[in-house]
Amino acid sequence: MPSDPDSSHTHVPSPGVAGLAHDLRLACMRISRRVRFESPSEVGPHHFSVLARLASNPQPLGDLAELERVRAPSMSKTVAGLVDLGLVQRDPDPTDGRVVVISLTDWGRNTLSTERAQRDVWMATRLEGLTPHEKAVLREATALLERVVSQ
Amino acid sequence: MPSDPDSSHTHVPSPGVAGLAHDLRLACMRISRRVRFESPSEVGPHHFSVLARLASNPQPLGDLAELERVRAPSMSKTVAGLVDLGLVQRDPDPTDGRVVVISLTDWGRNTLSTERAQRDVWMATRLEGLTPHEKAVLREATALLERVVSQ
DNA sequence: TATTGTTATACTCTATAACTATA
DNA sequence: TATAGTTATAGAGTATAACAATA
């Protein structure tokens, strides 16, 4: 139970948008933090994030670096680690000899699914006891959050 | 706009608690990720987190290490950095000569407030256009999330 | 003797700069 | 000459182990 380092500042109860923004931001960050801290995980956050990027499509190393907002040498090292773990593979690009395409191995895809499932379990466990009305509110809120975050 | 590495796996629309848990977890993690990435910040995440811990009370270094889930030597180094930046100070505990109490300086408190305000602004900006009903839904959802996360 | 914090050393992930291979 | 990726080296932040000061 990691407590929340960003929750202890005084603010007025919640009048307008500002109060809602504050409270909602903190609630989301708390959920996020606890999912990351408390879901059992075989791979570190950086490895997990790269695996997730590769779930839909193989990617050239450079694109992967840009998506993850790190430099090419950093991604090169991360990928080397993932290759050693058997989670991804490097292949030459047939149309451009300079490019190295990274893709999930079967074991990597399996590992990714397991990790994701464990994160969902953490959340589902905590939603079990809610009433149908409360679940409906959260469902509606989820759609709103998705809209808001995609702005 | 960092896209979401954990969002691309296929799943059924959202039938029961499992679907809601999945979608809601992703929405919270996306909000959290974008707040961290897109809010302008003078201090790194580790420094911010320690400043936030000290907002309400000064803390012995050992307690701070435990709260932040790092070992004492790591926290000792982090605190040394914060002292160099003028954000916190070390003081001896009058009742126990072994203990070093860490507290915010005025500059540290000021910096913390600014960082927090910037995070809230990011969120508030995105809630501006919502209808009163939608804001009411999010307010109710916030209370539910707080209940859920404190289980 | 046990506890609090620091120092010494090492590992991981990050970066920039220099290098190789290909376009 | 420009681009994709790797290798070399260095800077944070983390850890464990050994040490100093205090209880």
Side-chain angles (χ1 to χ4, degrees):
Chain A
M1 41 144 189
S3 65
D4 185 346
D6 191 21
S7 63
S8 49
H9 80 285
T10 53
H11 71 285
V12 280
S14 283
V17 175
L20 174 60
H22 175 81
D23 296 341
L24 182 54
R25 172 180 79 76
L26 286 179
C28 289
M29 294 187 82
R30 271 179 215 147
I31 295 277
S32 181
R33 182 179 299 115
R34 294 196 48 189
V35 166
R36 280 184 292 113
F37 272 89
E38 297 177 21
S39 301
S41 184
E42 297 289 317
V43 302
H46 307 106
H47 283 182
F48 176 84
S49 194
V50 171
L51 293 184
R53 293 288 183 195
L54 297 171
S56 41
N57 299 303
Q59 303 268 4
L61 188 137
D63 293 8
L64 214 44
E66 190 173 1
L67 286 167
E68 289 294 297
R69 304 181 166 263
V70 299
R71 300 297 177 181
S74 304
M75 186 51 67
S76 189
K77 251 176 116 175
T78 298
V79 165
L82 289 168
V83 169
D84 287 346
L85 291 169
L87 298 170
V88 308
Q89 61 190 20
R90 282 186 255 228
D91 293 295
D93 184 323
T95 74
D96 185 338
R98 298 169 302 179
V99 172
V100 175
V101 178
I102 317 298
S103 58
L104 289 178
T105 60
D106 288 345
W107 174 240
R109 190 171 298 280
N110 184 60
T111 299
L112 177 61
S113 298
T114 305
E115 296 284 326
R116 279 171 160 164
Q118 281 165 337
R119 293 177 172 215
D120 287 346
V121 162
W122 185 96
M123 195 72 189
T125 302
R126 278 155 186 82
L127 265 34
E128 290 291 352
L130 298 184
T131 67
H133 168 72
E134 290 169 336
K135 283 185 270 200
V137 168
L138 287 181
R139 221 179 298 276
E140 196 174 349
T142 299
L144 286 170
L145 288 175
E146 284 169 359
R147 226 178 73 199
V148 151
V149 88
S150 64
Q151 282 173 29
Chain B
M1 44 148 184
S3 64
D4 184 346
D6 191 24
S7 63
S8 49
H9 78 286
T10 52
H11 71 285
V12 281
S14 285
V17 175
L20 174 59
H22 175 80
D23 296 341
L24 182 55
R25 171 180 79 75
L26 286 180
C28 289
M29 294 187 82
R30 269 177 217 149
I31 295 278
S32 180
R33 182 180 300 114
R34 294 197 48 190
V35 166
R36 281 183 290 115
F37 272 89
E38 296 177 22
S39 301
S41 183
E42 297 289 317
V43 302
H46 307 105
H47 283 182
F48 175 84
S49 193
V50 170
L51 293 184
R53 294 287 183 196
L54 296 170
S56 42
N57 299 303
Q59 304 268 3
L61 188 137
D63 292 9
L64 213 44
E66 191 173 2
L67 286 166
E68 290 293 297
R69 305 184 163 261
V70 298
R71 299 298 177 181
S74 304
M75 186 52 66
S76 190
K77 252 175 114 174
T78 299
V79 165
L82 289 168
V83 168
D84 288 346
L85 292 169
L87 298 170
V88 308
Q89 61 190 22
R90 282 187 253 227
D91 293 294
D93 183 323
T95 73
D96 185 338
R98 298 169 301 178
V99 172
V100 175
V101 178
I102 317 299
S103 59
L104 289 179
T105 60
D106 288 344
W107 174 239
R109 190 170 298 280
N110 184 60
T111 300
L112 177 60
S113 298
T114 304
E115 297 284 326
R116 279 172 160 163
Q118 282 166 335
R119 292 176 172 216
D120 286 345
V121 163
W122 186 95
M123 194 75 190
T125 302
R126 278 155 186 83
L127 298 180
E128 291 291 353
L130 298 184
T131 68
H133 168 73
E134 290 169 335
K135 284 186 269 200
V137 168
L138 286 181
R139 221 180 297 277
E140 196 174 350
T142 300
L144 286 170
L145 288 175
E146 283 168 0
R147 226 179 73 200
V148 151
V149 87
S150 63
Q151 281 172 27

